Amino acid sequence: SKGWHLHGCLFSLQVLAYNRHTYATVSQRLIITVIPAPGGDPPYQGEFLVGNRNVEELLPVVAREMFLQASAGVWERGDLQVINITSALDRGGRVPLPIEGRKEGVYVKVGSHSPFSPCLASAVSPQSRFRCSLGQQPLASCYDTFAPHFSIRWCNLTLLQVWPSPTTPGPVWGSGVLEDDGGFQPPTEVAPQDLLPGFLVTLLVPLAVAVLLCLLLGHLMCCRREGV
């Protein structure tokens, strides 16, 4: 599952899937209509790494609702929505070993129109990043409402504050008919130029070189012969 972000368009998507155990493949073409989110894109976005899930396990609506409820507990807000779901393999993660039911890992991006909670802000603070570099858990003052269904890698938490970019006004189109302002006036006037010197140089210089070569060749062939 790749991350993409489109608005107000209709496109066709062909999905190719395979069975992990039998390696059987199946394809299906989906027609997807993307419409703008109500109220615009959420400016506050947080991306969580779920270590005990595969990407297909978080695609169903029920699983996403459970994740949003768990996110609301640490975000302390209720207007959350899932923005993107990406497999950890697409971010450079390694394929897990087929033992102990290990999962690939999933990045889930959640957005809100409300600011981040103090718990999330402390989890990405420099002190928390330093603890993560030592192999310790980051600072988090809130209760982990994701457990036991979702195992969050808190050291991989990313918080983004995205503001809509200002749109520049486009060109103003006229009626397509020129206004009657008299005759056309060129922007600049070009002074007349004398092209005769350039013409003579271009013509006479190669001619003079050719005459000299002919004289030199004639002198070598006629006047430098043995016995003359």
Side-chain angles (χ1 to χ4, degrees):
S1 174
K2 298 290 185 180
W4 39 262
H5 203 275
L6 297 173
H7 282 293
C9 63
L10 175 67
F11 65 98
S12 175
L13 179 67
Q14 185 176 7
V15 181
L16 180 64
Y18 75 96
N19 191 307
R20 298 174 184 271
H21 306 287
T22 63
Y23 296 99
T25 59
V26 61
S27 63
Q28 183 178 2
R29 185 175 298 275
L30 303 177
I31 305 298
I32 301 177
T33 303
V34 181
I35 60 176
D41 293 335
Y44 299 94
Q45 301 177 6
E47 190 173 52
F48 302 87
L49 175 57
V50 185
N52 63 337
R53 287 289 186 272
N54 292 329
V55 62
E56 64 270 13
E57 297 176 354
L58 283 175
L59 292 179
V61 179
V62 177
R64 283 182 289 159
E65 291 296 334
M66 291 179 56
F67 191 86
L68 287 177
Q69 293 178 3
S71 302
V74 297
W75 203 304
E76 301 176 1
R77 299 291 186 273
D79 61 334
L80 303 180
Q81 55 180 300
V82 176
I83 300 177
N84 192 14
I85 299 177
T86 306
S87 173
L89 301 181
D90 296 334
R91 300 286 188 88
R94 297 182 178 180
V95 178
L97 296 176
I99 57 176
E100 302 177 358
R102 298 185 180 181
K103 304 293 184 177
E104 300 173 354
V106 185
Y107 283 94
V108 183
K109 182 179 291 187
V110 179
S112 173
H113 290 274
S114 303
F116 304 112
S117 64
C119 172
L120 295 178
S122 62
V124 297
S125 61
Q127 295 81 3
S128 294
R129 297 305 186 192
F130 177 73
R131 291 173 60 91
C132 289
S133 64
L134 300 178
Q136 304 176 3
Q137 288 292 331
L139 300 175
S141 58
C142 57
Y143 176 70
D144 187 0
T145 57
F146 291 98
H149 302 287
F150 306 102
S151 177
I152 303 299
R153 308 284 177 82
W154 288 102
C155 287
N156 296 89
L157 175 65
T158 302
L159 300 181
L160 299 174
Q161 191 169 353
V162 181
W163 297 106
S165 57
T167 58
T168 57
V172 179
W173 301 101
S175 60
V177 180
L178 293 177
E179 298 180 358
D180 188 10
D181 291 337
F184 174 73
Q185 297 293 334
T188 57
E189 294 184 0
V190 179
Q193 300 180 1
D194 188 7
L195 302 179
L196 181 59
F199 172 74
L200 295 178
V201 171
T202 305
L203 181 63
L204 295 179
V205 170
L207 183 60
V209 173
V211 171
L212 291 177
L213 291 177
C214 290
L215 294 177
L216 179 61
L217 183 60
H219 174 71
L220 294 176
M221 296 183 65
C222 298
C223 300
R224 295 291 181 177
R225 298 177 60 184
E226 185 178 356
V228 177

